[in-house]
Amino acid sequence: AQSVTQLDSHVSVSEGTPVLLRCNYSSSYSPSLFWYVQHPNKGLQLLLKYTSAATLVKGINGFEAEFKKSETSFHLTKPSAHMSDAAEYFCVVSATNTGNQFYFGTGTSLTVIP
Amino acid sequence: GAGVSQSPSNKVTEKGKDVELRCDPISGHTALYWYRQSLGQGLEFLIYFQGNSAPDKSGLPSDRFSAERTGGSVSTLTIQRTQQEDSAVYLCASSLAGSGWETQYFGPGTRLLVL
């Protein structure tokens, strides 16, 4: 079975400081892992994804995530937060042998303090 | 090109009434998903369409919920005899072929409020 745990429901950082959003997953199969971002009143947008290639994945807007199988983690990081990064972030896992089951975490709300 | 569109963007209805929510996926995408997002919750899978295959309805919470996809394109999610607990944002997403490693493209959602 697949599941995702986002360890923090809210994260607050100062502008220009690093961002760390934590995600742990459980999967019976080789997982694909995703991070999506949802800005207020907007649809979800893909930030980055891991699909069994390079374990360090770079995404849009300076975000990156590292797949660590031994820790079953896929934490999202950014070296320097920008005001526009304030949004809801969702970690998602799917089993690569099926196309119809994506498991979403409950989300992490990121606040950026000026 | 055009993204996924959903209509209406907001819907307020009275308890017991039926509602229909519409999703227009990206042209050429064979896979279509419906999710429900309740306040403070992650996305809850509802139903999945892939090409001409039978849809995966395993996420539908009750028999009041149904969905269809006509001509492999537009999809309608119908909720009959709405209840207050149905209030949520209903999101539609599409992907090219429905594989587990594909990016899903989401619409802006329909915000449903049942009074």
Side-chain angles (χ1 to χ4, degrees), chain A residues 10-82:
Chain A
H10 299 278
V11 170
S12 194
V13 300
S14 297
E15 188 177 17
T17 64
V19 176
L20 170 63
L21 305 182
R22 298 182 294 166
C23 172
N24 285 93
Y25 70 92
S26 173
S27 178
S28 303
Y29 303 96
S30 297
S32 290
L33 292 155
F34 307 77
W35 277 98
Y36 283 85
V37 60
Q38 185 178 34
H39 290 277
N41 300 314
K42 297 282 183 64
L44 279 80
Q45 178 186 18
L46 180 73
L47 270 181
L48 50 79
K49 64 180 177 180
Y50 165 78
T51 59
S52 78
T55 56
L56 181 62
V57 182
K58 295 185 184 299
I60 62 171
N61 300 334
F63 284 94
E64 62 181 39
E66 186 171 8
F67 172 70
K68 293 187 176 180
K69 186 175 180 179
S70 61
E71 299 177 9
T72 60
S73 70
F74 190 58
H75 302 333
L76 182 69
T77 61
K78 182 173 180 177
S80 176
H82 191 272

Side-chain angles (χ1 to χ4, degrees), chain B:
Chain B
V4 177
S5 61
Q6 293 184 247
S7 60
S9 54
N10 291 281
K11 177 71 177 179
V12 180
T13 190
E14 294 178 348
K15 178 182 173 181
K17 294 282 180 69
D18 297 352
V19 295
E20 283 190 353
L21 312 180
R22 177 187 167 106
C23 172
D24 280 273
I26 292 173
S27 177
H29 281 194
T30 62
L32 187 147
Y33 306 78
W34 282 99
Y35 295 92
R36 179 167 69 176
Q37 185 178 23
S38 302
L39 191 63
Q41 302 294 315
L43 273 65
E44 175 189 5
F45 166 77
L46 296 177
I47 189 168
Y48 162 76
F49 296 91
Q50 169 52 41
N52 296 321
S53 302
D56 177 355
K57 304 179 182 180
S58 62
L60 295 178
S62 76
D63 58 8
R64 296 186 295 104
F65 287 73
S66 63
E68 62 178 22
R69 187 178 185 192
T70 54
S73 181
V74 172
S75 177
T76 303
L77 177 69
T78 301
I79 309 173
Q80 295 179 309
R81 306 181 302 281
T82 52
Q83 304 294 311
Q84 289 182 332
E85 60 263 29
D86 299 334
S87 297
V89 177
Y90 289 82
L91 293 170
C92 174
S94 70
S95 69
L96 189 60
S99 299
W101 54 83
E102 286 187 340
T103 301
Q104 293 181 75
Y105 295 86
F106 285 83
T110 293
R111 190 175 301 271
L112 175 65
L113 178 61
V114 182
L115 301 175

